[in-house]
Amino acid sequence: MLSALLNRYQSLAPERRQFFVHAALAALFRVFAAGAAFLLSVVAARVLGAEQSGLFFLGLSLAILLGTLCLLGMDNAMLRFIGQSHVSGDSETTNQVFTNAYVAVLPTSVLTAIIVHLCAPWLADSVFNKPDATITLQYFAAAIPFISLFFLNGYALQATRNVIASVCSMQLGVTVLAMPALLYLPYYQDIPLSSSAAILYVIASAVVVITGLWMWFKVSTREVNFRNLRMPSLWQAAPNLWLISATGQAIPWASVVIVGYFASSEEVAFFSAAQRTSMLISFMLMVVNFVAAPRFSALYNAGKFDQLKRLAQLSTRMMIAFSFPVLALVLIWPDAIMSLFGSEFSQSGQLLVVLAIGQTINVMTGSVGFLLTMCGYEKDMRNVTIFAGIFTVTLLMVLTSLWGILGAAVAVSVGVSTQNLLALSKVKQRLGFWPIG
């Protein structure tokens, strides 16, 4: 059987073999990343306890939300434009796109961090009704520029198909550095505080940014290039891509912030832990998107539409095959899985089931978002995500106020499903095929 599989692999076209190799590498390191992120949540919950971990997750969610918004659409823009220039060997354009992205993102993220730091007392008291969160929010404000920049570095490396470096320069690197530091926190504080954990996260983020820049510039053709800071195609696409990213963040990260407005710190911890765990369902979606997104752009730009269709459909089948076993585990043992965070978290198993269903629909529709944005139909994806984002936030406000964190879970699942089903119909309309075919 093994020899038959090897023979079948060797009979594949070179570009498809390369895709499987890169997908395997991405899967391996994404397994580490997803496992490390899950363990970080477990460690934070166990070390800090339900109340302090709730403040930690609230501050972290706010920082990641704002950090990704400060990317200004340059994340997807780099995937698209650097993905094309890398295939054609145009290092000049690669350097110009990278420089333009830093020129836009760095001052924006620093300014946002200053504003959040100054507004932290008001946010803690008036918005979240959690005065104890002030110091934690102030420390997490300092993480915002680093979050923006390590994501920027990671997307640039992803566009050049440097799979391992890309994964390591994003969340995996931060998690690997922050988790052991969190484990040792009780040895330095009798009562570990969320503010101390926030400081550790900021330090880890700064180290990852520096490492990501080193991995980018170690290639001899890479340099800072200010010769063309007016790239019309880049700057015209960026606003639409930013709106896609901005409204997309309304579902995974803003939901924790909204829950923080209506619920207690302990309930924020329950919801955040369940949401992070449910994202393991869509792990293979992240892996495939990681490898396939630059290829979507290159194939569409080269007019190879049949290969684009085959790649999209192959990707979806891979995602479904790997995601269903994880869903089965979640449906059978939700309480046991949530109890890994601590005995008090076992009561949130129902949240995990609801959120897992939404993530399953997300996987089954395929890489619809990247198919649209990488193929030049970012306006369609922008419209879809704006509608889905507004719809989800509205539903979150209503259902959370009525049913608490269970209502928030229902709202998130409905929002995720709505966005992906609408994007799926747009892929069929614009590209002429179903990714789930």
Side-chain angles (χ1 to χ4, degrees):
M1 182 178 177
L2 182 59
S3 61
L5 289 174
L6 288 174
N7 290 333
R8 185 171 183 181
Y9 170 78
Q10 292 172 351
S11 67
L12 295 172
E15 64 273 7
R16 184 163 286 198
R17 288 203 303 270
Q18 185 189 55
F19 174 77
F20 277 116
V21 170
H22 285 183
L25 283 173
L28 178 62
F29 278 84
R30 282 283 180 169
V31 165
F32 293 150
F38 179 75
L39 287 175
L40 179 64
S41 299
V42 173
V43 168
R46 286 190 170 273
V47 169
L48 299 175
E51 182 177 357
Q52 286 295 311
S53 67
L55 298 179
F56 175 81
F57 290 135
L58 178 62
L60 178 60
S61 298
L62 182 63
I64 292 179
L65 170 64
L66 295 176
T68 51
L69 294 183
C70 288
L71 290 171
L72 302 178
M74 289 296 174
D75 47 351
N76 286 326
M78 287 198 301
L79 282 179
R80 179 172 161 187
F81 292 100
I82 293 181
Q84 294 172 3
S85 62
H86 175 71
V87 170
S88 62
D90 185 0
S91 59
E92 177 84 3
T93 299
T94 296
N95 292 328
Q96 288 174 354
V97 172
F98 186 82
T99 303
N100 272 263
Y102 253 78
V103 167
V105 172
L106 182 57
T108 303
S109 59
V110 170
L111 178 61
T112 302
I114 293 172
I115 293 172
V116 172
H117 182 85
L118 295 175
C119 294
W122 173 77
L123 288 171
D125 289 336
S126 302
V127 177
F128 300 120
N129 195 28
K130 296 174 179 62
D132 293 342
T134 299
I135 298 176
T136 301
L137 293 178
Q138 287 177 329
Y139 285 136
F140 268 118
I144 292 172
F146 298 122
I147 290 171
S148 296
L149 296 181
F150 72 60
F151 274 124
L152 205 61
N153 295 338
Y155 281 110
L157 292 164
Q158 179 185 349
T160 58
R161 304 186 183 182
N162 197 333
V163 175
I164 297 174
S166 178
V167 176
C168 293
S169 68
M170 291 199 276
Q171 290 283 39
L172 177 60
V174 177
T175 305
V176 167
L177 292 174
M179 185 164 51
L182 269 176
L183 283 170
Y184 277 97
L185 190 58
Y187 294 97
Y188 298 97
Q189 284 186 323
D190 294 333
I191 303 177
L193 300 176
S194 59
S195 56
S196 302
I199 294 174
L200 296 176
Y201 189 89
V202 172
I203 295 171
S205 300
V207 172
V208 170
V209 170
I210 295 170
T211 305
L213 287 172
W214 173 79
M215 288 189 289
W216 177 258
F217 285 113
K218 74 176 182 178
V219 177
S220 59
T221 57
R222 307 268 170 80
E223 62 180 10
V224 177
N225 189 330
F226 291 105
R227 287 189 289 274
N228 186 7
L229 294 180
R230 295 181 180 180
M231 302 182 71
S233 56
L234 175 69
W235 289 101
Q236 287 171 10
N240 290 323
L241 294 172
W242 178 80
L243 281 171
I244 293 169
S245 176
T247 52
Q249 293 305 312
I251 297 176
W253 296 113
S255 57
V256 179
V257 177
I258 292 172
V259 168
Y261 177 80
F262 287 101
S264 66
S265 299
E266 290 85 351
E267 288 177 315
V268 172
F270 296 156
F271 179 84
S272 180
Q275 186 180 49
R276 287 167 179 272
T277 306
S278 72
M279 288 182 179
L280 295 175
I281 301 281
S282 58
F283 162 75
M284 200 60 192
L285 174 64
M286 293 185 287
V287 169
V288 171
N289 283 344
F290 195 85
V291 178
R295 287 171 167 80
F296 290 155
S297 177
L299 290 173
Y300 185 83
N301 192 53
K304 299 178 180 179
F305 302 116
D306 287 339
Q307 291 186 34
L308 176 65
K309 176 182 176 180
R310 289 197 297 271
L311 177 61
Q313 293 179 342
L314 172 67
S315 301
T316 305
R317 288 194 289 270
M318 288 175 60
M319 291 185 278
I320 292 173
F322 281 91
S323 299
F324 269 34
V326 181
L327 174 64
L329 292 175
V330 168
L331 294 179
I332 296 171
W333 296 296
D335 294 341
I337 292 172
M338 290 306 300
S339 67
L340 294 173
F341 294 90
S343 57
E344 66 268 42
F345 284 80
S346 62
Q347 59 186 289
S348 55
Q350 189 178 15
L351 300 178
L352 178 59
V353 170
V354 173
L355 291 165
I357 293 172
Q359 289 299 322
T360 302
I361 296 173
N362 182 20
V363 169
M364 292 180 66
T365 55
S367 304
V368 287
F370 278 111
L371 277 169
L372 291 172
T373 55
M374 294 298 107
C375 295
Y377 298 109
E378 64 270 6
K379 289 184 179 179
D380 288 324
M381 192 61 198
R382 175 201 64 190
N383 295 338
V384 167
T385 52
I386 287 175
F387 172 80
I390 295 173
F391 173 68
T392 304
V393 170
T394 303
L395 205 59
L396 269 166
M397 300 287 284
V398 173
L399 296 186
T400 307
S401 64
L402 293 175
W403 301 334
I405 53 177
L406 179 60
V410 172
V412 169
S413 284
V414 172
V416 168
S417 303
T418 300
Q419 176 174 313
N420 284 279
L421 291 172
L422 290 174
L424 178 65
S425 67
K426 284 296 181 182
V427 169
K428 173 62 176 175
Q429 178 185 346
R430 295 299 190 185
L431 301 177
F433 63 84
W434 296 106
I436 57 177

